[in-house]
Amino acid sequence: MNKGPVISVVVPVFNEEPVIMESYRRLTAVMAGLGEPYEIIFVNDGSWDASAEIIGGLTERDAGVALINFSRNFGHQSAITAGMDYARGRAVVVIDADLQDPPEVIPAMINAWRAGSDVVYGKRISRQGETFFKRFSAAVFYRLLKKMTGFDIPVDAGDFRLIDRKVCNAMKSLGEKNRYIRGLISWVGFKQSAVEYARDKRFAGETKYPLKKMMQLAMDGIAAFSYKPLRFATTLGFIISLLSFAYIVVVIYQRLFTDTTITGWSSLIGVVLLTQGIVLMTLGLIGEYIGRIFDETKNRPVYIVSEIIGGGARDSHME
Ligand code: UDP
Ligand code: MG
């Protein structure tokens, strides 16, 4: 029986042609230094550059490298999900391909794991080479989410983390389609600890998270872990109804007991537009949740694999 790797490293890749060789080099240097069997699983999330060819070349030279090709781009969180599904190690490390999360931090994570932690997340004490907007929006978002969910999703931590086999299995048992991984990992619980690190700038290439994807991820995070936005809609509706009721009393009083002429078309239209805006906004908010219910009921897979290359005893593992 093949004993299999002790550590699996999962690397989501989306058009990372200029960084892959360097990622591989630095990852391998770190992992080889540990002196234990490991595997590196590159999940190619529908790249249209030469990422797949480059990694394919690596699988030929290095039996410890596996490549999972998706049939199209399914997104970062789906790529991580696939990596976790295929990983065989007793611990699984998830790390970005662009070297913003330094592989050299992995040994510290493994030490914390050996010392008894089931989840070791990388906490960013600084972020380099990212725009002020990104840093600011991330800082606000993580804190907002923490407030809204009421359970402990660590702030300033991305998906760079190590999880124990039992956490990985727990993650695999969750059928959610909208995967906000860092939230789910907190949700499953277990013993969590942090390793602090400085986030570097990208080794090469551009961010694959434009504003639209960032917003999507943020909304996934909130909608998957909190009902507060819905409650907010209820509260808002309640307050507005109360105010309107009070105003109606005033209007009736004016009509019956004073001879104030009816003025104020503009205030009327103002109120109408305001309430319409709020109604549409809350409808949209409800729609966000309904859309997610829709996704869940369709029960489509989170990703579709077109092929798996390399990775040694991969077949026996998959039965
Ligand atoms: N990524 C992915 N699919 C996507 C977008 C990104 O697999 O649709 C990968 C990307 O290749 C990288 C990681 O996810 O390894 C993080 O992306 P990126 O570095 O662009 O995000 P940022 O660090 O700018 O937030
Ligand atoms: Mg990055």
Side-chain angles (χ1 to χ4, degrees), residues 16 96-101 130 134 199-202 206-209:
E16 301 285 9
D96 284 354
D98 61 359
L99 294 171
Q100 279 196 283
D101 308 326
E130 291 182 302
K134 177 133 188 172
R199 191 158 212 239
D200 285 335
K201 54 176 177 297
R202 233 176 197 282
E206 298 271 288
T207 175
K208 305 300 178 303
Y209 261 98

Side-chain angles (χ1 to χ4, degrees), residues 74-243:
F74 281 90
H76 182 203
Q77 304 290 301
S78 304
I80 295 175
T81 304
M84 287 183 183
D85 288 347
Y86 286 86
R88 293 173 298 161
R90 288 202 283 115
V92 181
V93 177
V94 176
I95 186 168
D96 284 354
D98 61 359
L99 294 171
Q100 279 196 283
D101 308 326
E104 291 72 24
V105 176
I106 294 176
M109 289 182 159
I110 291 174
N111 285 342
W113 172 59
R114 295 218 189 282
S117 293
D118 298 314
V119 176
V120 187
Y121 56 88
K123 188 171 164 59
R124 303 155 176 172
I125 47 169
S126 67
R127 303 173 70 133
Q128 272 164 29
E130 291 182 302
T131 59
F132 171 75
F133 175 73
K134 177 133 188 172
R135 278 177 292 142
F136 178 74
S137 57
V140 171
F141 169 70
Y142 287 130
R143 280 157 187 82
L144 182 73
L145 184 65
K146 191 182 168 114
K147 251 200 137 52
M148 287 175 110
T149 54
F151 71 89
D152 212 8
I153 298 181
V155 295
D156 302 327
D159 288 315
F160 180 31
R161 60 190 68 204
L162 175 149
I163 60 175
D164 184 75
R165 168 56 36 201
K166 55 180 184 268
V167 181
C168 188
N169 289 344
M171 290 293 291
K172 282 161 74 171
S173 74
L174 305 176
E176 282 184 53
K177 308 297 172 199
N178 284 299
R179 298 188 81 84
Y180 183 71
I181 305 266
R182 47 202 92 157
L184 292 175
I185 291 185
S186 303
W187 184 87
V188 297
F190 296 101
K191 261 181 79 182
Q192 315 227 353
S193 67
V195 166
E196 294 189 337
Y197 74 106
R199 191 158 212 239
D200 285 335
K201 54 176 177 297
R202 233 176 197 282
F203 177 72
E206 298 271 288
T207 175
K208 305 300 178 303
Y209 261 98
L211 187 62
K212 209 174 125 205
K213 273 192 187 169
M214 254 165 68
M215 301 277 286
Q216 179 72 42
L217 183 70
M219 200 57 222
D220 277 345
I222 292 172
F225 286 96
S226 175
Y227 296 117
K228 290 236 168 82
L230 294 175
R231 295 228 176 99
F232 172 72
T234 318
T235 315
L236 203 64
F238 190 67
I239 292 171
I240 289 175
S241 310
L242 269 184
L243 289 177

